[in-house]
């Protein structure tokens, strides 16, 4: 299992607001439409991981279970 805090590059004590801000920054930086070829595929994988991490860490119940 991957460490969602490392994926989003936040501290385990980060607030939901901080997680949301950092998520938006990473999505803008890694959006697949900004890349072509192999880099686009890598960006798609990165965005999938970011979305998974954000979905877990932004939900208080899922975050406690994680």
């Amino acid at each position: 299992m991957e460490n969602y805090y490392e994926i989003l590059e936040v501290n385990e004590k980060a607030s939901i607001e901080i997680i949301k801000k950092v998520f938006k920054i990473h999505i803008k930086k890694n959006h697949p439409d900004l890349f072509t070829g192999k880099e686009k595929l890598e960006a798609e994988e990165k965005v999938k991981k970011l979305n998974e991490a954000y979905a877990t860490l932004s939900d208080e119940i899922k975050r406690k279970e994680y």
Side-chain angles (χ1 to χ4, degrees):
M1 182 174 211
E2 297 195 48
N3 187 331
Y4 293 149
Y5 295 103
E6 287 180 10
I7 291 171
L8 289 176
E9 298 176 6
V10 294
N11 187 313
E12 292 182 16
K13 296 179 182 180
S15 68
I16 292 176
E17 292 81 20
I18 297 295
I19 291 171
K20 185 176 183 176
K21 286 180 185 179
V22 171
F23 171 73
K24 287 182 178 183
I25 291 168
H26 283 300
I27 288 296
K28 286 180 183 178
K29 186 171 94 176
N30 294 292
H31 198 280
D33 290 346
L34 300 174
F35 301 96
T36 58
K38 184 179 178 184
E39 290 177 333
K40 184 172 185 159
L41 296 174
E42 291 170 358
E44 288 173 353
E45 285 300 314
K46 177 76 173 176
V47 167
K48 285 179 188 177
K49 289 179 182 181
L50 288 167
N51 283 324
E52 184 179 330
Y54 179 72
T56 300
L57 298 181
S58 65
D59 183 312
E60 295 217 16
I61 296 170
K62 289 181 182 178
R63 188 173 180 179
K64 286 180 183 178
E65 290 175 3
Y66 173 73

